[in-house]
Amino acid sequence: MSEPVKVLVTGAAGQIAYSLLYSIAKGDVFGEKQPISLVLLDIEPMMAVLDGVVMELQDCALPLLADVIPTADEAVAFKDIDVALLVGAQPRRQGMERKDLLKANVKIFKSQGAALDAHAKKTVKVVVVGNPANTNALVIAQFAPSIPKENFSCLTRLDQNRAQAQVATKLGISNENVQRTIIWGNHSSTQFPDLAHAVVHVNGKLMPAQEAIKDDNWVKDEFIKTVQTRGGAVIQARKLSSAMSAAKAICDHVRDWWFGTGERWVSMGIISKGDYGIKEGLMYSFPVQIGTDRVVQVVPGLTISNFAREKMDATQAELIEEKDCAFSFLEA
Ligand code: NAX
């Protein structure tokens, strides 16, 4: 058996982690032969709850789980890790303004950035899930200057999966028959779920999704709105935010980064190098392909319509505003 992959999950006592930890520990992400060492970080008041999570992981008697390290200490949590899944964040409380939320999270991700910089392997792959995910990811990257910028990402795979599932349902086909749905921009209600390049297999024939759907209004209006507001709809129904689907999306994101995507396209937030006119240095969701060398590359050469341009710019504008606001707290 090979050396364990050391995976940190923050927010480990929370609801996403409750689904995520089991999936990772049983081999859904790194494969069925790869031992895993799990590090679980949460805040001090959650340590008793975290003990319960550790007991349950033990009780699963999973063959791949080499060890479990629960902690509230960032120096312990980030030590020699290969993968950081940053799920924990300050939640938005009633009456809290967006800038207060940003301020609280800047503090968390600044501190975790310093710990990452000091203690993690330089090859560490970082996925930020805790909201506002794109901006939190930029903050942590800023405070971990010794880690290459290409190693930072944020999760928009849940949005991609939601988009894919909407198309599959609309056409009455299985999810695997829908490919190349794209999420551009922020993991927020300004994101742009784009079907212009999506393809579907219908009755054994590969065709553009929009041609198969034959309903421009649905594509440009209902589909986009449904995906943009899906998180809110789940909260409305469940009185809790998405957890099972979020955990599944994190597994998809990391598995594809670890093993490569082959010919598939996936969406993930990465630091922009200026592709498609998106401002350099923003954490923006792009369609990407990933090689077996774990290098992430933006899918090149897509035609961008005026409709798409407007939506891509609107979500970019929100990200610039969030970034400026977050970085103003850092300077203060
Ligand atoms: P929970 O409130 O169930 O769990 C969050 C956990 O994080 C808690 O146990 C809390 O104590 C812990 N935490 C807070 N500050 C911490 C810190 N400084 N260090 C370590 N742990 C800390 O939330 P959950 O439903 O699990 O959601 C977690 C985050 O994911 C939220 O920010 C949520 O908004 C975000 N989401 C992001 C998604 C995405 O696609 N990017 C989708 C799902 C989810 O909404």
Side-chain angles (χ1 to χ4, degrees):
M1 280 260 211
S2 50
E3 277 290 292
V5 173
K6 197 168 181 190
V7 183
L8 164 65
V9 176
T10 72
Q15 55 150 1
I16 292 177
Y18 195 71
S19 294
L20 177 63
L21 292 169
Y22 174 63
S23 293
I24 296 172
K26 80 187 219 300
D28 285 357
V29 177
F30 300 97
E32 285 168 11
K33 294 209 170 91
Q34 176 59 59
I36 309 286
S37 170
L38 276 178
V39 189
L40 313 183
L41 178 72
D42 211 296
I43 51 176
E44 200 59 57
M46 295 304 284
M47 286 301 108
V49 176
L50 199 55
D51 280 346
V53 175
V54 174
M55 283 186 239
E56 284 212 67
L57 277 168
Q58 279 173 342
D59 297 348
C60 288
L62 293 162
L64 294 175
L65 192 55
D67 63 347
V68 183
I69 307 163
T71 183
D73 181 345
E74 288 175 354
V76 173
F78 285 87
K79 182 88 187 134
D80 294 333
I81 51 167
D82 297 292
V83 176
L85 306 179
L86 307 180
V87 181
Q90 172 80 47
R92 191 168 187 161
R93 302 217 173 85
Q94 223 174 5
M96 205 178 197
E97 284 191 28
R98 219 169 109 232
K99 70 172 175 12
D100 299 326
L101 182 73
L102 268 171
K103 194 172 186 177
N105 279 297
V106 161
K107 209 167 143 218
I108 293 173
F109 285 87
K110 179 179 174 182
S111 166
Q112 293 189 357
L116 184 78
D117 200 52
H119 303 292
K121 289 186 183 159
K122 299 305 170 199
T123 51
V124 65
K125 301 283 184 255
V126 181
V127 185
V128 178
V129 178
N131 278 318
N134 299 54
T135 301
N136 289 341
L138 264 193
V139 173
I140 192 165
Q142 173 84 3
F143 285 93
S146 68
I147 312 280
K149 293 284 179 269
E150 289 76 17
N151 294 18
F152 293 89
S153 70
C154 78
L155 186 78
T156 56
R157 184 61 171 266
L158 176 55
D159 307 298
Q160 180 198 312
N161 289 349
R162 286 166 172 165
Q164 183 180 352
Q166 286 303 313
V167 174
T169 306
K170 174 82 176 164
L171 293 173
I173 57 178
S174 72
N175 286 300
E176 65 184 6
N177 286 328
V178 181
Q179 288 152 17
R180 303 189 169 181
T181 53
I182 298 173
I183 304 297
W184 299 97
N186 201 359
H187 169 68
S188 78
S189 57
T190 67
Q191 66 177 258
F192 172 39
D194 184 5
L195 287 188
H197 311 278
V199 290
V200 294
H201 283 271
V202 183
N203 301 327
K205 203 176 144 207
L206 184 68
M207 63 169 92
Q210 298 189 111
E211 195 180 297
I213 293 167
K214 291 193 203 88
D215 183 349
D216 208 36
N217 286 340
W218 185 84
V219 170
K220 289 200 164 143
D221 189 27
E222 196 180 326
F223 162 76
I224 293 178
K225 260 193 229 134
T226 302
V227 177
Q228 285 175 333
T229 59
R230 187 68 161 184
V234 170
I235 294 176
Q236 182 84 18
R238 228 170 69 86
K239 313 293 173 234
L240 284 170
S241 56
S242 313
M244 177 175 35
S245 55
K248 195 280 185 173
I250 297 167
C251 293
D252 290 345
H253 178 121
V254 181
R255 194 190 319 102
D256 282 340
W257 204 352
W258 204 255
F259 292 108
T261 57
E263 290 303 304
R264 287 176 302 117
W265 300 2
V266 296
S267 290
M268 64 197 269
I270 54 172
I271 297 181
S272 171
K273 292 182 174 158
D275 292 273
Y276 294 103
I278 301 305
K279 198 171 170 202
E280 250 185 275
L282 274 190
M283 176 62 69
Y284 192 96
S285 178
F286 289 98
V288 301
Q289 287 184 308
I290 306 166
T292 48
D293 54 3
R294 299 182 186 146
V295 173
V296 177
Q297 262 164 343
V298 175
V299 174
L302 300 178
T303 308
I304 305 296
S305 66
N306 291 340
F307 175 80
R309 186 77 259 165
E310 219 172 88
K311 301 249 177 253
M312 287 164 69
D313 288 349
T315 189
Q316 166 170 244
E318 184 184 51
L319 280 170
I320 292 173
E321 197 191 311
E322 262 185 28
K323 180 186 175 189
D324 289 350
C325 183
F327 281 67
S328 72
F329 295 130
L330 292 173
E331 283 153 17

